[in-house]
């Protein structure tokens, strides 16, 4: 839309039923009727209005569209930003009700049968130790994979609302980024390779310290890696790198998609609220990206998606570097939310092949 101007867009604003507004390079905001109760007063107020998303928005290169999730008046909206020749056009959607109570109840109901199923699977695997039938080993691995998938869904159902409402106490630590990220990236690279995919990563060369909950940061990254596997072109590598700004660290994951998959991923912020039709079971429940978003917000950041015309999609997870040293300090030990299962296999279970879940490799 870079060739279009605000004057060309403004006649269309009132035709659009969902909230929409423009911000000129001079800071003037023009909004349609649906957006007027929601928008900031002027361009100077936009950074505060964006809240945790401001760092990602400030880092936007304006060469492709940007998708953000913002919270206004207690409701979550997806914000799509489109660059114009003399400003920006912003379109809002969502604002639906919160399903948190249902999630919490569902997760509690699922835990007991899931624990029983896991115990039965373990017994079956022990019985197969001396078996030489490849079919039985394959079936046992498939059973294990589905248990890992159910574990991921249950954990996400349980923790999403706790993270959204501040009931999840973060265990903040001073993390040296390269030292923290290298083992996570190497393990993910091995998991990708087992599925016939390639992960390229570039880590910061300088020493950067970030105050963050290591389990939550890893969990958010693994969810974004999972999306890259699900939606990515199998013939193209997935790339990971960090952008360091004075106010934030941006963890960036880029993959190439077919147009159909890129469209699905661009709507991923809204999948939880899109219940007018049965969801495609290939793409899961839609908890992963909202969970990563909630984790980012707990660390003063946000998640954004940039989709370019060449089919690449970049997910950017920002964590603020402006947090007080006393923010969220908790003296309790870290909580292993997977109950001892390898977190990378739990979070990537939607996309990894069955062979990764053979009992002799777990």
């Amino acid at each position: 839309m870079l060739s279009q101007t605000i004057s060309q867009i403004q006649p269309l604003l009132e035709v659009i039923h969902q909230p929409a507004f423009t911000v000129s390079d001079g800071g003037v905001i023009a909004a349609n009727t649906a957006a007027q109760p929601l928008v900031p007063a002027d361009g100077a107020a936009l950074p505060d209005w964006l809240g945790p998303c401001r760092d990602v928005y400030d880092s936007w290169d304006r060469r492709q569209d940007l998708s953000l999730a913002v919270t206004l008046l207690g409701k979550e909206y997806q914000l799509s930003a489109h660059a114009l020749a003399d400003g920006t056009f912003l379109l809002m959607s969502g604002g639906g009700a919160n399903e948190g109570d249902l999630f919490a109840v569902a997760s509690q109901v699922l835990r007991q049968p899931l624990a029983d199923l896991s115990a039965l699977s373990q017994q079956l695997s022990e019985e197969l130790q001396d078996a030489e039938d490849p079919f039985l080993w394959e079936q046992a691995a498939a059973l294990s994979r589905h248990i890992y998938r159910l574990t991921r869904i249950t954990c996400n159902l349980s923790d999403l609302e706790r993270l959204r409402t501040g009931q999840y106490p973060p265990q903040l630590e001073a993390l040296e980024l390269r030292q923290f990220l290298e083992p996570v990236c190497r393990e993910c690279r091995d998991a990708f390779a087992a599925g016939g995919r390639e992960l390229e990563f570039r880590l910061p060369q300088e020493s950067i310290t970030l105050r963050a909950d290591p389990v939550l940061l890893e969990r958010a990254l693994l969810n974004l890696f999972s999306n890259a596997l699900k939606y990515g072109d199998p013939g193209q590598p997935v790339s990971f790198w960090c952008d360091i700004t004075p106010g934030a660290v941006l963890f960036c994951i880029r993959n190439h998609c077919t147009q159909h998959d890129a469209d699905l991923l661009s709507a991923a912020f809204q999948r939880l609220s899109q219940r007018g039709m049965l969801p495609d079971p290939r793409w899961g429940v839609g908890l992963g990206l909202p969970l990563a978003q909630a984790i980012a917000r707990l660390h003063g950041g946000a998640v954004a998606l940039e989709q370019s015309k060449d089919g690449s999609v970049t997910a950017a997870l920002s964590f603020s570097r402006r947090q007080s040293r006393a923010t969220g300090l908790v003296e309790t030990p870290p909580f292993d939310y997977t109950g001892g299962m390898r977190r990378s296999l739990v979070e990537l279970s939607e996309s990894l092949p069955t062979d990764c879940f053979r009992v002799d490799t777990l």
Side-chain angles (χ1 to χ4, degrees):
M1 300 181 72
L2 278 171
S3 61
Q4 293 182 289
T5 64
I6 288 179
S7 62
Q8 293 173 313
I9 293 293
Q10 280 185 330
L12 302 176
L13 285 180
E14 288 302 333
V15 180
I16 301 172
H17 295 295
Q18 62 198 92
F21 62 101
T22 58
V23 184
S24 73
D25 290 338
V28 177
I29 288 181
N32 66 3
T33 302
Q36 286 173 6
L38 301 171
V39 300
D42 51 38
L46 185 63
D48 289 337
W49 184 82
L50 288 167
C53 297
R54 63 184 297 176
D55 292 310
V56 179
Y57 186 85
D58 289 342
S59 301
W60 178 34
D61 61 14
R62 299 179 63 83
R63 290 199 296 267
Q64 53 264 336
D65 296 342
L66 178 69
S67 296
L68 301 164
V70 297
T71 300
L72 303 170
L73 304 176
K75 296 182 179 180
E76 188 168 289
Y77 295 85
Q78 181 172 355
L79 182 71
S80 299
H82 310 271
L84 302 175
D86 55 352
T88 307
F89 171 59
L90 298 109
L91 188 65
M92 301 170 64
S93 57
N98 198 319
E99 301 106 332
D101 292 340
L102 293 175
F103 291 168
V105 172
S107 67
Q108 291 302 315
V109 172
L110 280 170
R111 285 189 182 278
Q112 187 57 54
L114 180 58
D116 294 341
L117 182 60
S118 182
L120 290 171
S121 175
Q122 182 64 33
Q123 293 175 14
L124 175 62
S125 297
E126 291 172 358
E127 293 293 331
L128 290 175
Q129 289 291 343
D130 299 324
E132 298 181 0
D133 188 338
F135 175 77
L136 292 179
W137 277 100
E138 182 180 351
Q139 295 302 302
L143 179 59
S144 294
R145 177 174 179 261
H146 289 311
I147 290 172
Y148 274 67
R149 294 178 67 194
L150 287 170
T151 298
R152 178 175 185 250
I153 293 171
T154 302
C155 291
N156 287 352
L157 284 170
S158 175
D159 294 335
L160 177 58
E161 187 60 15
R162 294 176 62 213
L163 287 162
R164 280 176 165 175
T165 58
Q167 299 175 52
Y168 192 114
Q171 179 75 35
L172 297 187
E173 298 180 17
L175 304 177
E176 203 289 314
L177 276 186
R178 185 180 183 90
Q179 183 179 356
F180 172 79
L181 291 172
E182 190 159 11
V184 176
C185 288
R186 290 187 182 279
E187 184 171 357
C188 286
R189 184 179 62 185
D190 292 343
F192 274 47
R197 302 291 296 278
E198 182 181 358
L199 172 64
E200 302 172 341
F201 60 89
R202 186 176 72 251
L203 302 181
Q205 295 301 311
E206 67 271 35
S207 179
I208 303 292
T209 300
L210 178 69
R211 290 180 62 77
D213 183 309
V215 174
L216 290 180
L217 173 54
E218 180 187 24
R219 190 171 179 182
L221 290 174
L222 289 173
N223 272 282
L224 296 181
F225 279 131
S226 175
N227 274 345
L229 274 174
K230 281 190 289 188
Y231 297 101
D233 180 348
Q236 297 285 342
V238 175
S239 301
F240 171 78
W241 72 95
C242 296
D243 285 340
I244 311 298
T245 74
V249 175
L250 275 68
F251 305 93
C252 302
I253 298 173
R254 175 175 294 162
N255 61 280
H256 287 76
C257 302
T258 65
Q259 185 60 48
H260 173 67
D261 289 347
D263 291 342
L264 278 170
L265 185 56
S266 67
F269 281 118
Q270 295 176 286
R271 192 167 307 126
L272 279 176
S273 60
Q274 291 175 341
R275 287 295 180 258
M277 63 180 70
L278 290 175
D280 188 332
R282 293 178 301 163
W283 310 124
V285 180
L287 295 167
L289 194 56
L291 186 87
Q293 175 74 16
I295 291 172
R297 284 178 175 163
L298 193 63
H299 292 81
V303 174
L305 298 176
E306 293 186 38
Q307 183 177 340
S308 64
K309 294 179 180 178
D310 67 359
S312 67
V313 173
T314 302
L317 170 76
S318 72
F319 272 36
S320 175
R321 301 177 68 187
R322 305 186 184 97
Q323 298 180 87
S324 164
R325 293 188 60 83
T327 300
L329 287 177
V330 175
E331 299 299 328
T332 56
F335 173 63
D336 185 358
Y337 68 96
T338 64
M341 294 178 173
R342 278 175 58 188
R343 291 195 286 267
S344 61
L345 289 183
V346 170
E347 301 297 356
L348 302 177
S349 57
E350 291 284 345
S351 307
L352 292 178
T354 299
D355 282 349
C356 293
F357 298 87
R358 284 171 56 100
V359 66
D360 54 340
T361 63
L362 293 176

